[in-house]
């Protein structure tokens, strides 16, 4: 019989992950702060957990994927939190993007309860979540990863074990730093070229024939040319991840000049945007209207 | 009969370009400030011009590719400069990376002499130059590009006509800004991950499975992991191109925060490096030894 999976957090990423688990035949118990978000999955066969604690208590494997560190702390240690529900011998895997610090604190709390923990943030966006083709960056023990693998295989296509607990989050923050700077780079280059009278389309066309070509820019560039910023990965979350990266850098005594500068442009666009745009909307920094 | 090509500047890029022209059967006259650099091509059949003026005077199509704006100004307007040799009805194509401003001044001077000018900087590195697979970013008139095409086809694989004179340089500066920031992004991400105890190899492995993957990083990342910085595109030239991009931005009233910050790290490594490393050596900013 397949293990029961608990899933906390049914946002852009969590919901399609849950759907894939249901399709693969895993008994699924879900919980989300805004209960309405659980309705679709419940109608497709998931059980609704009463609260994070009960959701954790029902699970052989608990997965959480929430928007930021405070949301995770609330879910784990708030009233009827998941931590007090987790059963000895179960596995808990957090796929939120949080600080390596917090991941290590969660790992320690799990250890005290006899629960195995993996920090397992993902990349691949909502598209990867829907296709079950996420890439997992994992901190933890290899045996635990092997035990969790039947569940992971449903959700992703690559599983990188990067070190002890926290290492998954460290790499995730470093990866998002690269993505944020690649998009910033294109946005700055477009601002430069268009200010000097060259249409952005021309720059993108040249870029796509060059070594500057990047996976994320293949996807974002056409949308940026059209000021089309429906969120695939919301700017507010990228902004949060950049902050976490810069905090980690400060803890480690490392200076990241371009990341710090780009954080300034992302911050400005976040503050000025009235919608909830994709992070490629950082290009609005150079436009008159900030959405 | 094939037109005679004049070629001024026989560095990392110019020399393989000249070799390809010889192989394709174009009569070739070459000049280089350091004459010894011309020996190989002369032994392969090129004529040595006495000076830039004579080189230009011998050419139906003159090509220059020198390291920076002062070098180009010296070659064009210094003693026995190329500008006074250029023949009415000939084509002059500059493949150096310079400011759009200077390209427009050169175009105006050519116009007065009845010479057609293209600003035609390239991307693709010394590898692209050797293979005859450069990408040309061109400012100028379409008819002139068509007349120059038989020569260009020997040197490159793509020819983007981007606007009037200066547009080629604008796009080149924007392109190099993207490349410089992509490499900066990886260098910052590596500094962050390794400071937190994750080996750089792990980060690169994840990156290569993700949307962060970029053409330039596929090439540079393995070298950066080994602190291997033999120059394919020298840091001192990327540094110069970033300066030109930031100057253009200032002229246009555009602020480029990440480019300005990255210029700081490139500057620091340029000042501290005793060799003449590739621009990916910007990663040295985070290492103890600066070469």
């Amino acid at each position: 019989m397949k293990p029961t999976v608990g899933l906390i957090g049914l946002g852009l990423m969590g919901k399609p992950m849950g759907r894939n688990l249901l399709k693969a035949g895993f008994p699924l118990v879900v919980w989300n702060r805004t209960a309405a978000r659980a309705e679709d999955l419940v109608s497709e066969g998931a059980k609704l957990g009463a609260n994070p604690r009960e959701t954790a208590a029902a699970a052989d494997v608990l997965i959480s994927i929430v928007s930021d560190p405070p949301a995770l702390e609330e879910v784990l240690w708030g009233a009827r939190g998941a931590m007090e529900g987790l059963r000895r011998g179960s596995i808990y895997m957090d796929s939120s993007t949080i600080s390596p610090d917090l991941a290590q604190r969660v790992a320690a709390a799990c250890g005290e309860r006899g629960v195995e923990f993996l920090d397992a943030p993902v990349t691949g966006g909502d598209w990867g979540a829907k296709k079950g083709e996420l890439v997992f960056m994992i901190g933890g023990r290899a045996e635990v990863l092997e035990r969790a693998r039947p569940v992971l295989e449903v959700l992703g296509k690559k599983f990188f074990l990067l070190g002890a607990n926290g290492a998954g989050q460290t790499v995730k923050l470093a990866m998002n730093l690269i993505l944020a700077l690649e998009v910033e780079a294109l946005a700055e280059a477009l601002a430069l070229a268009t200010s000097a009278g060259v249409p952005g389309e021309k720059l993108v066309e040249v870029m796509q024939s060059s070594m500057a070509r990047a996976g994320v820019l293949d996807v974002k560039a056409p949308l940026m040319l059209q000021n089309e910023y429906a969120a695939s990965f919301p700017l507010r979350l990228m902004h949060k991840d950049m902050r976490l990266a810069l905090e980690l850098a400060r803890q480690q005594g490392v200076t990241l000049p371009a990341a710090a500068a780009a954080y300034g442009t992302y911050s400005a666009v976040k503050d000025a945007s009235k919608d909830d745009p994709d992070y490629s909307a950082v290009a609005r920094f150079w436009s008159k209207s900030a959405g």
Side-chain angles (χ1 to χ4, degrees), chain A:
Chain A
M1 216 183 85
K2 285 181 192 284
T4 295
V5 178
L7 177 60
I8 292 177
L10 304 174
L12 270 180
M13 303 294 287
K15 198 162 164 179
M17 290 165 74
R19 186 161 284 143
N20 285 330
L21 289 165
L22 284 174
K23 279 189 201 156
F26 285 91
L28 185 68
V29 184
V30 298
W31 186 84
N32 193 70
R33 193 174 43 184
T34 309
R37 280 236 182 114
E39 283 168 14
D40 286 354
L41 291 181
V42 168
S43 76
E44 292 164 32
K47 283 188 192 161
L48 185 63
N51 49 52
R53 185 181 63 201
E54 299 309 317
T55 305
D60 301 302
V61 176
L62 178 69
I63 301 172
S64 59
I65 180 159
V66 299
S67 60
D68 56 21
L72 185 68
E73 295 189 76
E74 175 63 24
V75 150
L76 290 180
W77 290 300
R80 287 172 291 278
M83 191 56 76
E84 59 185 57
L86 281 166
R87 295 197 317 249
R88 176 169 298 272
S90 68
I91 295 176
Y92 169 38
M93 190 172 93
D94 176 48
S95 290
S96 318
T97 299
I98 57 170
S99 63
D101 255 15
L102 178 53
Q104 285 158 2
R105 278 200 287 135
V106 173
C110 285
E112 286 170 16
R113 296 185 63 85
V115 173
E116 300 286 1
F117 177 68
L118 299 173
D119 51 300
V122 293
T123 186
D126 58 342
W127 187 90
K130 282 173 195 156
K131 290 271 188 183
E133 296 188 357
L134 293 169
V135 172
F136 282 78
M137 291 154 279
I138 300 172
R141 296 196 303 122
E143 313 87 86
V144 181
L145 170 57
E146 289 318 307
R147 278 179 57 205
R149 195 174 282 273
V151 173
L152 283 165
E153 297 277 6
V154 172
L155 306 174
K157 63 174 179 181
K158 296 230 180 187
F159 312 96
F160 292 100
L161 185 62
L162 299 162
N165 282 131
Q169 295 296 350
T170 294
V171 171
K172 173 64 193 273
L173 295 181
M175 287 291 300
N176 273 11
L177 186 158
I178 298 175
L179 290 168
L181 276 175
E182 286 176 343
V183 169
E184 171 86 18
L186 177 58
E188 293 196 6
L190 283 170
L192 181 66
T194 56
S195 79
V198 176
E201 288 75 9
K202 298 262 189 192
L203 175 62
V204 169
E205 194 185 358
V206 175
M207 186 192 70
Q208 289 177 332
S209 297
S210 83
M211 299 269 284
R213 184 174 195 165
V216 64
L217 299 183
D218 281 348
V219 175
K220 303 291 187 193
L223 300 169
M224 291 164 78
L225 290 176
Q226 294 173 49
N227 301 309
E228 180 58 62
Y229 299 122
S232 170
F233 182 53
L235 188 138
R236 70 187 149 79
L237 294 182
M238 180 60 95
H239 179 263
K240 178 262 300 182
D241 293 353
M242 295 172 82
R243 180 173 55 71
L244 293 173
L246 290 167
E247 284 175 8
L248 176 60
R250 197 180 56 230
Q251 286 165 17
Q252 303 295 336
V254 172
T255 174
L256 303 178
Y263 183 66
T265 63
Y266 279 86
S267 297
V269 173
K270 175 173 171 285
D271 291 347
S273 290
K274 292 174 191 77
D275 51 354
D276 183 18
D278 190 69
Y279 72 99
S280 51
V282 70
R284 286 179 178 165
F285 184 80
W286 293 273
S287 66
K288 294 288 171 269
S289 73

